Protein backbone atom coordinates (compact mmCIF):
# COMPACT_ATOMS: atom_id res chain seq x y z
CA UNK A 1 0.00 0.00 0.00
CA UNK A 2 1.26 3.46 -0.85
CA UNK A 3 1.41 5.62 2.25
CA UNK A 4 0.17 9.18 2.03
CA UNK A 5 1.50 11.44 4.76
CA UNK A 6 -1.50 12.11 7.00
CA UNK A 7 -3.15 14.64 4.65
CA UNK A 8 -3.94 13.33 1.26
CA UNK A 9 -5.19 13.97 -2.26
CA UNK A 10 -3.89 17.48 -2.77
CA UNK A 11 -5.00 19.96 -5.39
CA UNK A 12 -2.06 22.24 -6.13
CA UNK A 13 -0.76 24.84 -8.50
CA UNK A 14 2.91 24.47 -7.63
CA UNK A 15 5.16 23.85 -4.67
CA UNK A 16 7.79 25.97 -3.02
CA UNK A 17 9.75 28.94 -4.15
CA UNK A 18 7.87 30.03 -7.24
CA UNK A 19 8.02 33.65 -8.26
CA UNK A 20 5.05 34.33 -10.51
CA UNK A 21 4.88 37.45 -12.64
CA UNK A 22 1.61 39.34 -12.88
CA UNK A 23 1.27 38.70 -16.63
CA UNK A 24 3.21 35.46 -16.93
CA UNK A 25 1.67 32.41 -15.33
CA UNK A 26 3.97 29.76 -16.75
CA UNK A 27 5.67 28.17 -13.76
CA UNK A 28 8.73 26.05 -13.35
CA UNK A 29 8.76 22.81 -11.34
CA UNK A 30 9.74 23.23 -7.76
CA UNK A 31 13.18 22.51 -6.37
CA UNK A 32 12.77 21.83 -2.68
CA UNK A 33 16.42 21.41 -1.73
CA UNK A 34 19.46 23.53 -2.44
CA UNK A 35 21.61 20.54 -3.43
CA UNK A 36 21.24 16.79 -3.70
CA UNK A 37 23.93 14.95 -1.70
CA UNK A 38 22.20 11.56 -1.83
CA UNK A 39 24.55 8.59 -2.41
CA UNK A 40 24.38 6.71 -5.71
CA UNK A 41 23.03 3.55 -4.06
CA UNK A 42 20.28 5.52 -2.33
CA UNK A 43 19.51 7.36 -5.54
CA UNK A 44 18.89 4.09 -7.32
CA UNK A 45 16.53 2.90 -4.58
CA UNK A 46 14.70 6.21 -4.43
CA UNK A 47 14.36 6.43 -8.21
CA UNK A 48 13.03 2.86 -8.40
CA UNK A 49 10.46 3.81 -5.78
CA UNK A 50 9.54 6.98 -7.68
CA UNK A 51 8.95 5.00 -10.84
CA UNK A 52 6.81 2.46 -8.97
CA UNK A 53 4.62 5.22 -7.50
CA UNK A 54 4.22 7.00 -10.84
CA UNK A 55 3.51 3.80 -12.75
CA UNK A 56 0.77 3.00 -10.26
CA UNK A 57 -1.02 6.26 -9.55
CA UNK A 58 0.02 8.91 -12.09
CA UNK A 59 -2.88 10.18 -14.19
CA UNK A 60 -0.69 9.86 -17.30
CA UNK A 61 1.06 6.62 -16.32
CA UNK A 62 0.64 5.28 -19.87
CA UNK A 63 2.91 8.10 -21.10
CA UNK A 64 5.86 7.19 -18.83
CA UNK A 65 9.17 6.34 -20.53
CA UNK A 66 10.33 2.77 -20.04
CA UNK A 67 12.19 2.35 -16.78
CA UNK A 68 15.20 0.79 -18.53
CA UNK A 69 15.65 3.90 -20.67
CA UNK A 70 16.31 6.08 -17.63
CA UNK A 71 19.50 6.75 -15.66
CA UNK A 72 18.67 5.35 -12.23
CA UNK A 73 21.81 6.89 -10.70
CA UNK A 74 20.66 10.44 -11.48
CA UNK A 75 19.55 12.86 -8.81
CA UNK A 76 15.92 12.09 -7.88
CA UNK A 77 15.08 15.65 -8.88
CA UNK A 78 16.44 15.10 -12.39
CA UNK A 79 15.05 11.57 -12.61
CA UNK A 80 11.58 12.73 -11.61
CA UNK A 81 11.52 15.34 -14.36
CA UNK A 82 11.97 12.57 -16.93
CA UNK A 83 8.69 11.05 -15.71
CA UNK A 84 6.56 14.19 -16.01
CA UNK A 85 4.06 14.40 -18.86
CA UNK A 86 4.38 17.66 -20.81
CA UNK A 87 5.81 19.74 -17.97
CA UNK A 88 5.26 23.15 -19.52
CA UNK A 89 1.67 22.77 -20.64
CA UNK A 90 -0.04 19.81 -18.93
CA UNK A 91 1.50 18.62 -15.65
CA UNK A 92 2.86 21.87 -14.26
CA UNK A 93 2.42 20.68 -10.68
CA UNK A 94 3.89 17.29 -9.75
CA UNK A 95 7.05 17.62 -7.66
CA UNK A 96 9.53 15.75 -5.49
CA UNK A 97 11.00 16.73 -2.12
CA UNK A 98 13.80 15.44 0.10
CA UNK A 99 12.03 16.59 3.29
CA UNK A 100 8.44 15.39 3.26
CA UNK A 101 7.82 16.26 6.91
CA UNK A 102 8.69 19.93 6.39
CA UNK A 103 6.53 20.07 3.29
CA UNK A 104 3.63 18.40 5.08
CA UNK A 105 3.90 20.95 7.87
CA UNK A 106 3.55 23.74 5.35
CA UNK A 107 0.51 22.02 3.85
CA UNK A 108 -1.01 22.21 7.33
CA UNK A 109 -0.58 25.99 7.34
CA UNK A 110 2.26 25.83 9.87
CA UNK A 111 5.45 27.64 8.93
CA UNK A 112 8.21 29.81 10.31
CA UNK A 113 7.44 33.24 8.92
CA UNK A 114 7.42 36.99 9.42
CA UNK A 115 3.77 36.88 8.33
CA UNK A 116 3.66 39.27 5.37
CA UNK A 117 2.29 38.93 1.86
CA UNK A 118 3.22 41.58 -0.68
CA UNK A 119 3.61 42.59 -4.29
CA UNK A 120 6.73 44.18 -5.75
CA UNK A 121 6.65 47.21 -8.03
CA UNK A 122 9.21 49.64 -9.41
CA UNK A 123 9.08 53.13 -7.99
CA UNK A 124 10.73 54.99 -10.87
CA UNK A 125 10.79 55.02 -14.65
CA UNK A 126 14.35 53.71 -14.62
CA UNK A 127 13.08 50.53 -12.94
CA UNK A 128 15.75 50.60 -10.28
CA UNK A 129 14.20 51.20 -6.85
CA UNK A 130 11.48 48.81 -5.69
CA UNK A 131 8.71 48.95 -3.12
CA UNK A 132 7.12 45.97 -1.36
CA UNK A 133 3.39 46.71 -1.01
CA UNK A 134 1.74 44.71 1.76
CA UNK A 135 -1.53 43.13 0.66
CA UNK A 136 -1.96 40.97 3.75
CA UNK A 137 -0.50 40.48 7.22
CA UNK A 138 -1.12 37.12 8.89
CA UNK A 139 -3.08 37.31 12.13
CA UNK A 140 -0.95 36.36 15.12
CA UNK A 141 2.31 36.64 13.19
CA UNK A 142 5.42 38.61 14.24
CA UNK A 143 4.57 41.21 11.58
CA UNK A 144 1.07 41.68 12.98
CA UNK A 145 2.41 41.89 16.53
CA UNK A 146 4.84 44.61 15.42
CA UNK A 147 1.98 46.65 13.96
CA UNK A 148 2.36 46.03 10.23
CA UNK A 149 -0.89 45.99 8.25
CA UNK A 150 -2.34 45.78 4.77
CA UNK A 151 -1.51 48.94 2.83
CA UNK A 152 1.93 49.44 4.39
CA UNK A 153 4.90 49.92 2.06
CA UNK A 154 8.39 48.55 2.67
CA UNK A 155 11.22 50.47 0.97
CA UNK A 156 14.33 49.36 2.84
CA UNK A 157 15.50 46.15 4.47
CA UNK A 158 18.26 46.45 7.07
CA UNK A 159 18.82 50.03 5.95
CA UNK A 160 19.29 49.26 2.26
CA UNK A 161 16.87 50.46 -0.41
CA UNK A 162 15.24 47.62 -2.35
CA UNK A 163 16.40 47.59 -5.97
CA UNK A 164 16.16 45.29 -8.94
CA UNK A 165 19.63 44.00 -8.15
CA UNK A 166 19.31 43.36 -4.42
CA UNK A 167 15.68 42.65 -3.52
CA UNK A 168 16.05 38.90 -3.79
CA UNK A 169 18.95 38.72 -1.35
CA UNK A 170 17.48 41.27 1.05
CA UNK A 171 14.09 39.59 1.22
CA UNK A 172 15.34 36.03 1.58
CA UNK A 173 17.32 34.13 4.15
CA UNK A 174 17.20 36.51 7.12
CA UNK A 175 15.69 35.44 10.42
CA UNK A 176 15.46 39.04 11.65
CA UNK A 177 14.97 42.14 9.54
CA UNK A 178 14.66 45.87 10.11
CA UNK A 179 12.10 47.33 7.72
CA UNK A 180 11.96 50.98 6.74
CA UNK A 181 8.51 52.04 5.63
CA UNK A 182 7.42 54.32 2.82
CA UNK A 183 4.51 56.68 2.24
CA UNK A 184 2.78 58.29 -0.72
CA UNK A 185 3.51 62.01 -0.88
CA UNK A 186 2.77 64.31 -3.82
CA UNK A 187 2.39 61.35 -6.14
CA UNK A 188 5.70 59.80 -5.11
CA UNK A 189 6.54 57.06 -2.65
CA UNK A 190 9.24 58.21 -0.26
CA UNK A 191 10.98 56.71 2.76
CA UNK A 192 9.75 57.68 6.21
CA UNK A 193 11.34 57.49 9.65
CA UNK A 194 9.07 54.59 10.61
CA UNK A 195 10.87 51.27 11.08
CA UNK A 196 9.92 47.81 12.34
CA UNK A 197 12.22 45.03 13.50
CA UNK A 198 10.69 41.57 13.21
CA UNK A 199 11.95 38.05 13.72
CA UNK A 200 10.48 34.93 12.17
CA UNK A 201 8.43 32.60 14.35
CA UNK A 202 6.41 29.46 13.81
CA UNK A 203 2.85 30.46 13.05
CA UNK A 204 -0.32 28.48 12.41
CA UNK A 205 -2.39 30.74 10.21
CA UNK A 206 -6.07 31.38 10.87
CA UNK A 207 -7.51 31.47 7.33
CA UNK A 208 -10.58 33.52 8.32
CA UNK A 209 -8.71 36.77 7.88
CA UNK A 210 -11.59 39.25 7.95
CA UNK A 211 -15.37 39.43 7.84
CA UNK A 212 -17.96 42.15 8.12
CA UNK A 213 -21.57 42.99 7.29
CA UNK A 214 -22.28 46.26 5.48
CA UNK A 215 -25.83 47.60 5.43
CA UNK A 216 -27.01 49.66 2.45
CA UNK A 217 -30.74 50.11 3.09
CA UNK A 218 -31.26 52.64 0.28
CA UNK A 219 -30.04 50.02 -2.19
CA UNK A 220 -31.87 47.20 -0.42
CA UNK A 221 -28.55 45.44 0.26
CA UNK A 222 -27.12 43.75 3.33
CA UNK A 223 -23.66 42.67 2.22
CA UNK A 224 -21.59 39.95 3.81
CA UNK A 225 -17.86 40.24 3.07
CA UNK A 226 -15.37 37.49 3.89
CA UNK A 227 -11.62 37.32 3.29
CA UNK A 228 -10.58 33.67 3.41
CA UNK A 229 -6.91 32.88 2.80
CA UNK A 230 -6.57 29.09 2.92
CA UNK A 231 -8.81 26.03 3.21
CA UNK A 232 -7.69 24.65 6.58
CA UNK A 233 -10.20 23.03 8.99
CA UNK A 234 -8.28 23.53 12.22
CA UNK A 235 -5.03 23.22 14.12
CA UNK A 236 -3.41 20.59 16.29
CA UNK A 237 -5.30 21.68 19.38
CA UNK A 238 -8.71 21.86 17.67
CA UNK A 239 -9.11 19.97 14.40
CA UNK A 240 -12.27 21.89 13.42
CA UNK A 241 -11.40 25.32 14.83
CA UNK A 242 -11.33 27.24 11.54
CA UNK A 243 -14.25 25.40 9.92
CA UNK A 244 -16.30 26.26 12.98
CA UNK A 245 -15.10 29.84 12.74
CA UNK A 246 -16.40 29.86 9.15
CA UNK A 247 -19.73 28.50 10.37
CA UNK A 248 -19.92 31.26 12.97
CA UNK A 249 -19.25 33.91 10.33
CA UNK A 250 -22.14 32.60 8.25
CA UNK A 251 -24.37 32.33 11.32
CA UNK A 252 -23.76 36.05 11.77
CA UNK A 253 -24.46 36.68 8.07
CA UNK A 254 -27.69 34.72 8.34
CA UNK A 255 -28.83 36.46 11.52
CA UNK A 256 -28.24 39.87 9.97
CA UNK A 257 -30.14 39.02 6.79
CA UNK A 258 -27.25 39.12 4.33
CA UNK A 259 -28.63 39.10 0.78
CA UNK A 260 -25.39 39.77 -1.12
CA UNK A 261 -22.13 37.90 -0.49
CA UNK A 262 -18.60 38.91 -1.47
CA UNK A 263 -16.11 36.09 -1.04
CA UNK A 264 -12.54 37.41 -1.26
CA UNK A 265 -10.30 34.57 -2.48
CA UNK A 266 -7.59 36.65 -4.14
CA UNK A 267 -5.07 35.47 -1.51
CA UNK A 268 -6.35 31.88 -1.35
CA UNK A 269 -4.36 29.22 -3.16
CA UNK A 270 -6.18 26.20 -1.78
CA UNK A 271 -6.23 23.73 1.11
CA UNK A 272 -8.37 20.92 2.45
CA UNK A 273 -11.23 19.66 0.32
CA UNK A 274 -13.28 19.23 3.50
CA UNK A 275 -13.05 22.97 4.17
CA UNK A 276 -13.86 23.75 0.55
CA UNK A 277 -16.98 21.65 0.98
CA UNK A 278 -17.82 23.44 4.23
CA UNK A 279 -17.53 26.85 2.58
CA UNK A 280 -19.47 25.87 -0.56
CA UNK A 281 -22.15 24.22 1.58
CA UNK A 282 -22.61 27.46 3.53
CA UNK A 283 -23.15 29.40 0.28
CA UNK A 284 -24.87 27.18 -2.28
CA UNK A 285 -28.47 27.94 -3.27
CA UNK A 286 -31.03 25.13 -3.02
CA UNK A 287 -28.36 22.55 -2.26
CA UNK A 288 -28.71 19.45 -0.11
CA UNK A 289 -26.41 16.67 1.03
CA UNK A 290 -27.70 14.61 -1.91
CA UNK A 291 -26.48 17.08 -4.55
CA UNK A 292 -23.05 16.83 -6.18
CA UNK A 293 -20.38 19.37 -5.27
CA UNK A 294 -17.69 17.94 -7.55
CA UNK A 295 -16.52 14.79 -9.35
CA UNK A 296 -13.12 13.16 -9.74
CA UNK A 297 -11.54 11.38 -12.69
CA UNK A 298 -8.52 9.18 -11.96
CA UNK A 299 -6.48 6.95 -14.25
CA UNK A 300 -8.33 3.89 -15.57
CA UNK A 301 -6.93 1.53 -12.92
CA UNK A 302 -8.12 3.66 -10.02
CA UNK A 303 -11.50 4.42 -11.58
CA UNK A 304 -12.08 0.67 -11.78
CA UNK A 305 -10.77 0.16 -8.24
CA UNK A 306 -12.88 2.89 -6.58
CA UNK A 307 -16.04 1.91 -8.42
CA UNK A 308 -15.53 -1.74 -7.51
CA UNK A 309 -15.07 -0.75 -3.87
CA UNK A 310 -17.79 1.89 -3.58
CA UNK A 311 -20.11 1.64 -6.57
CA UNK A 312 -20.74 3.58 -9.76
CA UNK A 313 -20.97 6.94 -7.95
CA UNK A 314 -17.79 6.43 -5.95
CA UNK A 315 -16.11 9.48 -7.46
CA UNK A 316 -19.03 11.87 -6.94
CA UNK A 317 -18.74 14.07 -3.84
CA UNK A 318 -21.81 15.78 -2.41
CA UNK A 319 -22.34 18.97 -0.44
CA UNK A 320 -22.77 18.64 3.31
CA UNK A 321 -25.68 19.81 5.44
CA UNK A 322 -24.88 23.19 7.01
CA UNK A 323 -27.58 24.83 9.20
CA UNK A 324 -26.04 28.28 8.61
CA UNK A 325 -26.31 28.09 4.82
CA UNK A 326 -27.44 31.48 3.45
CA UNK A 327 -28.10 30.36 -0.13
CA UNK A 328 -31.87 30.78 0.19
CA UNK A 329 -31.31 34.52 0.61
CA UNK A 330 -28.85 34.83 -2.30
CA UNK A 331 -29.27 34.98 -6.05
CA UNK A 332 -25.53 35.14 -6.66
CA UNK A 333 -22.14 35.22 -5.02
CA UNK A 334 -19.30 37.60 -5.90
CA UNK A 335 -15.82 36.07 -5.80
CA UNK A 336 -12.72 38.30 -5.86
CA UNK A 337 -9.83 36.62 -7.67
CA UNK A 338 -6.18 36.99 -8.61
CA UNK A 339 -3.50 34.99 -10.39
CA UNK A 340 -2.92 33.37 -6.99
CA UNK A 341 -6.50 32.13 -6.62
CA UNK A 342 -6.01 28.41 -7.16
CA UNK A 343 -7.06 24.83 -6.73
CA UNK A 344 -9.59 24.56 -3.89
CA UNK A 345 -10.66 28.15 -4.53
CA UNK A 346 -11.26 27.35 -8.18
CA UNK A 347 -13.08 24.18 -7.15
CA UNK A 348 -15.50 26.24 -5.02
CA UNK A 349 -16.12 28.65 -7.91
CA UNK A 350 -16.67 25.82 -10.38
CA UNK A 351 -18.66 23.68 -7.94
CA UNK A 352 -21.15 26.46 -7.14
CA UNK A 353 -21.82 27.40 -10.78
CA UNK A 354 -24.47 24.72 -11.44
CA UNK A 355 -26.50 26.06 -8.49
CA UNK A 356 -26.19 29.84 -8.62
CA UNK A 357 -24.70 32.79 -10.46
CA UNK A 358 -21.01 33.11 -9.55
CA UNK A 359 -19.72 36.59 -10.47
CA UNK A 360 -15.93 36.71 -10.56
CA UNK A 361 -14.02 39.99 -10.28
CA UNK A 362 -10.28 40.55 -10.54
CA UNK A 363 -7.68 38.67 -12.55
CA UNK A 364 -7.51 35.26 -14.21
CA UNK A 365 -7.09 32.48 -11.68
CA UNK A 366 -4.18 30.02 -11.60
CA UNK A 367 -5.85 27.29 -13.67
CA UNK A 368 -5.63 24.17 -11.53
CA UNK A 369 -8.28 21.50 -12.02
CA UNK A 370 -5.90 18.61 -11.34
CA UNK A 371 -5.69 16.86 -8.01
CA UNK A 372 -2.77 14.96 -6.60
CA UNK A 373 -1.34 13.31 -3.54
CA UNK A 374 1.70 13.68 -1.32
CA UNK A 375 3.19 10.21 -0.87
CA UNK A 376 6.08 9.03 1.27
CA UNK A 377 7.95 5.74 1.47
CA UNK A 378 5.86 3.27 3.46
CA UNK A 379 9.06 1.55 4.60
CA UNK A 380 10.45 4.79 6.08
CA UNK A 381 13.80 4.36 4.34
CA UNK A 382 14.22 8.11 3.65
CA UNK A 383 12.58 11.50 3.92
CA UNK A 384 11.99 11.79 0.21
CA UNK A 385 8.41 12.29 -0.88
CA UNK A 386 6.60 12.76 -4.15
CA UNK A 387 3.64 14.91 -5.05
CA UNK A 388 1.79 13.14 -7.87
CA UNK A 389 -1.07 14.40 -10.02
CA UNK A 390 -3.76 11.72 -9.81
CA UNK A 391 -6.52 13.14 -11.97
CA UNK A 392 -8.87 16.05 -12.59
CA UNK A 393 -12.12 17.40 -11.22
CA UNK A 394 -15.40 18.60 -12.68
CA UNK A 395 -18.60 20.09 -11.29
CA UNK A 396 -22.07 18.54 -11.26
CA UNK A 397 -22.52 19.51 -14.92
CA UNK A 398 -19.22 17.80 -15.85
CA UNK A 399 -17.62 21.20 -16.51
CA UNK A 400 -13.87 21.49 -16.02
CA UNK A 401 -12.63 23.93 -18.63
CA UNK A 402 -10.25 26.07 -16.56
CA UNK A 403 -7.23 23.77 -16.27
CA UNK A 404 -4.90 25.90 -18.37
CA UNK A 405 -2.45 28.72 -17.71
CA UNK A 406 -5.36 31.10 -18.38
CA UNK A 407 -7.41 29.67 -15.51
CA UNK A 408 -10.86 31.13 -14.92
CA UNK A 409 -11.33 34.43 -16.74
CA UNK A 410 -13.30 36.77 -14.46
CA UNK A 411 -16.59 38.30 -15.48
CA UNK A 412 -15.06 41.67 -14.65
CA UNK A 413 -11.32 42.04 -15.20
CA UNK A 414 -9.94 44.42 -12.59
CA UNK A 415 -6.25 44.67 -11.75
CA UNK A 416 -5.42 45.32 -8.12
CA UNK A 417 -2.81 48.00 -8.86
CA UNK A 418 -3.77 51.03 -6.77
CA UNK A 419 -1.48 51.59 -3.80
CA UNK A 420 -1.35 51.89 -0.90
CA UNK A 421 -3.78 48.97 -0.82
CA UNK A 422 -6.99 49.84 1.02
CA UNK A 423 -8.03 47.90 4.09
CA UNK A 424 -10.26 44.88 3.64
CA UNK A 425 -13.88 46.00 3.73
CA UNK A 426 -13.08 49.58 2.68
CA UNK A 427 -15.80 50.45 0.19
CA UNK A 428 -13.28 52.07 -2.12
CA UNK A 429 -10.88 49.10 -2.14
CA UNK A 430 -10.35 48.31 -5.82
CA UNK A 431 -11.98 44.87 -6.24
CA UNK A 432 -14.61 45.30 -3.55
CA UNK A 433 -15.58 48.61 -5.13
CA UNK A 434 -16.30 46.82 -8.41
CA UNK A 435 -18.54 44.30 -6.65
CA UNK A 436 -20.48 47.12 -4.99
CA UNK A 437 -20.79 48.87 -8.33
CA UNK A 438 -22.28 45.76 -9.94
CA UNK A 439 -24.71 45.52 -7.02
CA UNK A 440 -25.78 49.13 -7.65
CA UNK A 441 -24.22 50.53 -4.48
CA UNK A 442 -22.78 54.03 -5.15
CA UNK A 443 -19.25 54.95 -4.16
CA UNK A 444 -18.48 56.73 -0.91
CA UNK A 445 -16.09 59.61 -1.49
CA UNK A 446 -13.13 60.02 0.81
CA UNK A 447 -9.50 61.16 0.72
CA UNK A 448 -8.26 57.60 0.14
CA UNK A 449 -9.04 57.82 -3.58
CA UNK A 450 -7.13 61.07 -4.04
CA UNK A 451 -4.12 59.59 -2.26
CA UNK A 452 -3.86 56.51 -4.47
CA UNK A 453 -1.14 55.77 -7.00
CA UNK A 454 -1.29 53.19 -9.77
CA UNK A 455 1.70 50.86 -10.03
CA UNK A 456 2.50 47.82 -12.16
CA UNK A 457 3.49 44.88 -9.94
CA UNK A 458 6.06 42.58 -11.48
CA UNK A 459 5.80 40.01 -8.68
CA UNK A 460 2.54 39.33 -6.86
CA UNK A 461 1.37 37.73 -3.63
CA UNK A 462 4.81 36.78 -2.38
CA UNK A 463 5.05 35.51 1.18
CA UNK A 464 8.07 36.44 3.25
CA UNK A 465 11.25 35.19 1.51
CA UNK A 466 9.94 35.55 -2.06
CA UNK A 467 7.90 32.38 -1.65
CA UNK A 468 4.44 32.03 -3.08
CA UNK A 469 1.98 30.00 -1.08
CA UNK A 470 1.59 26.32 -1.88
CA UNK A 471 -1.63 26.01 -3.83
CA UNK A 472 -3.44 22.81 -2.95
CA UNK A 473 -6.51 20.83 -2.04
CA UNK A 474 -6.25 18.15 0.64
CA UNK A 475 -8.58 15.27 1.39
CA UNK A 476 -8.18 12.73 4.21
CA UNK A 477 -7.88 9.13 3.09
CA UNK A 478 -5.42 6.59 1.80
CA UNK A 479 -4.24 5.54 -1.63
CA UNK A 480 -4.39 1.81 -2.22
CA UNK A 481 -1.74 0.59 -4.64
CA UNK A 482 -3.59 -1.24 -7.39
CA UNK A 483 -0.69 -1.75 -9.78
CA UNK A 484 0.52 -5.03 -8.32
Amino acid sequence: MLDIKKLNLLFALALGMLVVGCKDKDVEPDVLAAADTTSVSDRKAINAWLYEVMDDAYFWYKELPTETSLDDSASPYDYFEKLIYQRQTVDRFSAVTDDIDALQNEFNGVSKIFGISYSLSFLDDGQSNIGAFLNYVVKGSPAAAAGLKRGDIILKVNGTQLTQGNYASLLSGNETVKLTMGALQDGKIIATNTTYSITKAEVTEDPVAFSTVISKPTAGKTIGYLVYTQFVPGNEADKNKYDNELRQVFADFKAKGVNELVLDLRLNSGGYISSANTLASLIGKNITASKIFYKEQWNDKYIAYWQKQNGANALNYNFQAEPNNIGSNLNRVFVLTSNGTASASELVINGLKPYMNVVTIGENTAGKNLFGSLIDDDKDRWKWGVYVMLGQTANANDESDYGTVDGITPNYIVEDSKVPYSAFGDENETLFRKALEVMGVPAVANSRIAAAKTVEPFRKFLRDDLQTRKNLMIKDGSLKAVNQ
Side-chain angles (χ1 to χ4, degrees), residues 2 23 44 62 69 185 236 294:
L2 298 177
K23 298 298 184 184
K44 289 185 176 182
K62 293 180 180 179
S69 70
Q185 181 175 311
E236 283 299 318
Y294 82 103

Side-chain angles (χ1 to χ4, degrees), residues 307-371:
Q307 290 183 344
K308 181 180 178 180
Q309 294 294 310
N310 301 316
N313 295 321
L315 299 177
N316 295 344
Y317 294 88
N318 294 344
F319 290 95
Q320 59 201 39
E322 289 291 342
N324 295 316
N325 172 278
I326 63 171
S328 62
N329 214 24
L330 301 175
N331 291 316
R332 59 192 171 183
V333 56
F334 292 87
V335 182
L336 309 186
T337 66
S338 74
N339 301 153
T341 302
S343 307
S345 289
E346 293 170 303
L347 183 73
V348 168
I349 293 169
N350 195 48
L352 286 174
K353 282 184 176 180
Y355 304 96
M356 63 195 306
N357 184 16
V358 181
V359 182
T360 47
I361 297 172
E363 297 174 306
N364 287 52
T365 64
K368 181 63 171 59
N369 65 348
L370 297 171
F371 63 93

Side-chain angles (χ1 to χ4, degrees), residues 24-332:
D24 181 6
K25 289 164 52 182
D26 292 329
V27 298
E28 296 297 323
D30 183 40
V31 177
L32 293 170
D36 176 20
T37 58
T38 310
S39 69
V40 172
S41 60
D42 282 345
R43 285 182 179 187
K44 289 185 176 182
I46 293 164
N47 290 338
W49 171 76
L50 287 174
Y51 195 93
E52 178 185 7
V53 169
M54 296 289 276
D55 189 43
D56 178 68
Y58 195 40
F59 191 47
W60 302 278
Y61 78 96
K62 293 180 180 179
E63 306 298 331
L64 289 173
T66 61
E67 189 171 10
T68 56
S69 70
L70 301 172
D71 178 7
D72 64 354
S73 64
S75 162
Y77 292 110
D78 296 331
Y79 184 90
F80 187 72
E81 286 306 305
K82 301 294 185 182
L83 307 180
I84 299 302
Y85 178 64
Q86 297 185 14
R87 168 61 84 184
Q88 297 300 319
T89 57
V90 180
D91 184 4
R92 295 170 285 143
F93 315 109
S94 294
V96 66
T97 174
D98 65 355
D99 190 349
I100 194 169
D101 292 333
L103 185 58
Q104 185 66 78
N105 213 25
E106 292 187 51
F107 284 177
N108 274 332
V110 181
S111 53
K112 191 175 183 181
I113 56 174
F114 298 124
I116 56 176
S117 171
Y118 53 89
S119 297
L120 296 174
S121 298
F122 292 111
L123 303 178
D124 51 49
D125 293 337
Q127 296 193 341
S128 176
N129 292 341
I130 287 171
F133 298 86
L134 300 193
N135 46 51
Y136 174 58
V137 176
V138 176
K139 289 193 298 186
S141 68
L148 287 163
K149 62 187 182 303
R150 175 178 164 85
D152 283 344
I153 305 168
I154 299 170
L155 293 187
K156 298 179 182 180
V157 177
N158 296 331
T160 301
Q161 170 67 49
L162 295 170
T163 68
Q164 186 174 16
N166 69 19
Y167 78 85
S169 60
L170 288 174
L171 291 170
S172 63
N174 295 307
E175 290 288 309
T176 299
V177 291
K178 181 180 180 181
L179 306 176
T180 300
M181 312 308 291
L184 182 61
Q185 181 175 311
D186 298 326
K188 295 183 179 180
I189 296 171
I190 62 171
T192 69
N193 293 325
T194 302
T195 62
Y196 297 94
S197 292
I198 53 175
T199 300
K200 287 182 180 179
E202 188 172 279
V203 176
T204 302
E205 181 176 346
D206 182 342
V208 184
F210 179 82
S211 69
T212 190
V213 174
I214 299 172
S215 179
K216 295 292 179 181
T218 58
K221 306 294 184 183
T222 302
I223 305 157
Y225 175 69
L226 170 67
V227 182
Y228 188 61
T229 63
Q230 190 181 11
F231 292 85
V232 180
N235 55 30
E236 283 299 318
D238 183 349
K239 300 297 184 183
N240 298 306
K241 176 180 174 63
Y242 306 135
D243 275 0
N244 287 336
E245 190 176 345
L246 263 185
R247 293 182 174 106
Q248 188 56 50
V249 167
F250 277 83
D252 183 55
F253 287 172
K254 188 171 185 177
K256 292 178 179 176
V258 162
N259 57 19
E260 296 278 15
L261 176 64
V262 179
L263 179 60
D264 194 335
L265 297 181
R266 77 185 97 174
L267 294 161
N268 194 315
S269 58
Y272 286 76
I273 189 171
S274 60
S275 293
N277 198 335
T278 298
L279 180 60
S281 299
L282 288 163
I283 296 171
K285 187 176 183 66
N286 297 325
I287 61 166
T288 67
S290 64
K291 292 190 176 181
I292 294 172
F293 173 37
Y294 82 103
K295 304 177 182 180
E296 293 176 354
Q297 181 181 358
W298 297 58
N299 70 35
D300 56 353
K301 295 179 293 184
Y302 274 91
I303 288 176
Y305 173 78
W306 293 127
Q307 290 183 344
K308 181 180 178 180
Q309 294 294 310
N310 301 316
N313 295 321
L315 299 177
N316 295 344
Y317 294 88
N318 294 344
F319 290 95
Q320 59 201 39
E322 289 291 342
N324 295 316
N325 172 278
I326 63 171
S328 62
N329 214 24
L330 301 175
N331 291 316
R332 59 192 171 183

Side-chain angles (χ1 to χ4, degrees), residues 420-442:
Y421 296 120
S422 297
F424 292 131
D426 185 319
E427 293 183 37
N428 288 306
E429 191 279 318
T430 306
L431 271 61
F432 189 39
R433 175 67 253 153
K434 184 63 179 180
L436 294 174
E437 177 187 314
V438 176
M439 291 179 203
V441 176

